[in-house]
Amino acid sequence: MYFDQQFDAFVLENKNNDEALSKTLDVLLFRSSTSSKFNLISDKLDDFWQSHFIDNLIAEQMSSENFILALSQYIRSKSIDKNIVTKLLERNPNSVVKAVRQSGIIAQSDHCSWAVLNEINSQIDLLELNDFLCTAEYIQLQYQERLSAYKDLKNQLQLNQITAMVFSSFYAYEYLMNDADYLKIPYQMDINDTVSVQDIWAVFHEVITSSNIDKKKLTEKKLAQVLKAKIMPFLIGENLNHALIKQYDDFKRLVAHKVEINSYQDQVISAYCYQFSTNYYLENGHLVLESKPRDLDSFQEKFGVLSAYWQWRGINTLTENPYFERLDRGKNIESNALALAKTQGIILQLYEIYGIEKAVFEQDYDLYSLIFTMLLSQAHYVQDFVTAFKKIRDSNDQHVFSTLTKLMIDGLLIGQNRMPITFSTHKEKAIKMSDWIIEGGKNKRVREMSRILDFWSIDLRGGRDSSYVENSFYKIDDYIFALPWMLAQKNFNTATINTFRKLYKNRAGLKFETDLMEQNLAGLLAKYKGKVYSQYEPSESGVGEIDAIVVTDNKVLVIELKSTYVKSSVKEIYEYRNFILKKAAYQLSRKSSYVSDIFLPSLGLDSSKFSIHSWIIDTTLEFDHEYIDGFLKISFEELTIILNGHRQYFSDMLKNNDNKGASGTLEGSLDAVIDIIEDNKFWLDNLPLMSSIQELNPASTLKA
């Protein structure tokens, strides 16, 4: 058997069974070259778990993180061997239970492994297994109860998609206009908790995309009938009957149910599966949370600092932008200029961090137009809807629907649609928004804007993935719809990154972008004294390309660079850690050994006279400044800011309200940069500044 051979070879090499097991696990989990030896991943797993050395494992060997991860993959596979799992349970039940948790099958109550585990439980007396199975079953039943209640209410409501949009917008204006990131909502299940505004937005999207849609084509007459029946009674009071009030109230209940389901999936099921610091047990028929203290990762605060950086960069380069001189200099010049600055910041972020310089998908787009038109649209919704709504509401202390009525009438007086949802035909919207495209004649700009609208719209009759939340508009036949509040608060840095890296993750240009990322990193490192070796290909097999090696007088920096999208769930976050970052650590271990044992001697250098610093550099903030299997993981954006000499930009920005001028100078040496990173000085300096801003303005954190 393949893994028996691997294990025996490692025993001969290391004279140590523990080390041999560790290296064999590495081969199973992280060495892609084994894939050609097996037709399916299940074949690979079966070979490993049927190996002879498995029979000789002791409890201590089964406690390692990688052993539990490997066993979790086996548990998740299509079929597991009852005898193998039974033997493992008898040796170390705690590790097996952790593996079942990490497999994620708690979210799949019908998974085939449950039958095997329950059969084992009926045949052997293990308190740990029995308690776990009871807890898992309780969690699954609780989830199904929540899901059934939601489905029942959804079936009773029978909302169509336009009504779902209308009610979502009503809800937003009624409850989400208070500049709070977290709040209590009507009918929420857990009255002791608060709900994230972004979670509510995601629920709106799920409800809208899953609601009923008329089989007949949407016409102007049909649309008018829906708006007359669903919007106008609330705004002008005519025909506002009990049935309509109840329908909107039931929509609020539906939102609360869906928020609870999503929260239960993420904070109970996924947290229990992937965060071993979170534990649940049953006591007197109730689920009890037992949670160990965890270090705060300050994700939102760090995200705010980085987002502010790209806006700062965009503002600092605004007057150099060729688009700047061609901006409309009318009354909206300030908001237009800010939209351009944000666009420039996103363009710089895409290029410097992700290696993206072109918008090439199924079709090619002008990258500036693709982003700038959306940010101008956002500025319009902020100014003419959100800000205008708050001004009317606060000046007259009116009820939400009276305010919406006044907002609508004010819009009619100047020829604008300021209803709770906006809509127009695709052609009309393309013509109107084409003025925001700077290049080309009128017809060309209209055609380009039409394509851009298609790109950023979800077709509710099908088509592109409707589960994707980052789009700006909804489309039904010839009509484009927008929810003003949702578009006004969207973070287009995240939306653009996730469009490239998540929705279109298999683009043909991805290899070129990865190469450009590595070249950009090499260019930043080259600003400092030291020899930079970028995209270095070792002559020895099995090591793999080393993204960057930097040699200074007494230090060597070895870098493994990874790129991904912005994660939105506990499951995404931990699966990324377990399968991408841990693999990066495995690769970095081999590469660091190569650099020390072979690369430096090949340059005539004595490895013992150098300290070797090996980093995983990644485009996400997850697990920032944590050690993954012994290797420091940092954000590429943090490193970019420091290498650009912008480490003090945040304090400079706060002191200098016009945001002009450069920020700082390059650090004295790469050795100094290494110290700054490894001592976490960037975040120690900047997070207190972000905290002070939040204390003055709790809604100031930029949203992910």
Side-chain angles (χ1 to χ4, degrees), residues 28 37 94 102 104 129 241 274 409 453 572 586 611 635:
L28 171 69
K37 302 180 184 297
N94 186 52
Q102 196 169 66
L129 176 62
N241 54 46
Y274 304 109
I409 292 170
L453 282 172
E572 282 185 342
Y586 166 74
S611 61
S635 160

Side-chain angles (χ1 to χ4, degrees), residues 23 49 180 208 242 277 303 394 406 422 446 451 498 604 651:
K23 290 191 173 184
W49 291 105
I208 290 167
H242 174 75
S277 60
F303 187 88
D394 297 343
K406 180 72 164 59
T422 66
V446 171
R451 294 198 310 128
N498 282 6
S651 59

Side-chain angles (χ1 to χ4, degrees), residues 359-366 448 451:
V360 180
F361 304 96
E362 286 94 346
Q363 303 178 46
D364 294 0
Y365 298 86
D366 176 75
E448 181 64 12
R451 294 198 310 128

Side-chain angles (χ1 to χ4, degrees), residues 296-305 624 650 680-694:
L296 295 176
D297 62 6
S298 303
F299 179 89
Q300 287 294 344
E301 292 82 359
K302 289 182 177 182
F303 187 88
V305 170
D624 187 48
F650 200 54
N680 202 19
K681 290 179 181 177
F682 177 78
W683 293 120
L684 290 175
D685 288 344
N686 287 297
L687 285 180
L689 298 175
M690 177 56 79
S691 297
S692 65
I693 293 173
Q694 289 176 325

Side-chain angles (χ1 to χ4, degrees), residues 635-696:
S635 160
F636 192 13
E637 290 179 80
E638 176 194 351
L639 182 62
T640 296
I641 292 169
I642 293 170
L643 292 176
N644 276 329
H646 293 160
R647 182 162 66 98
Q648 301 296 331
Y649 95 91
F650 200 54
S651 59
D652 291 351
M653 181 184 73
L654 295 177
K655 294 173 186 174
N656 182 7
N657 292 329
D658 62 7
N659 293 325
K660 293 179 181 176
S663 171
T665 57
L666 298 181
E667 303 300 334
S669 67
L670 190 63
D671 289 357
V673 170
I674 291 172
D675 289 340
I676 288 166
I677 290 287
E678 295 189 344
D679 292 340
N680 202 19
K681 290 179 181 177
F682 177 78
W683 293 120
L684 290 175
D685 288 344
N686 287 297
L687 285 180
L689 298 175
M690 177 56 79
S691 297
S692 65
I693 293 173
Q694 289 176 325
E695 287 173 5
L696 294 172

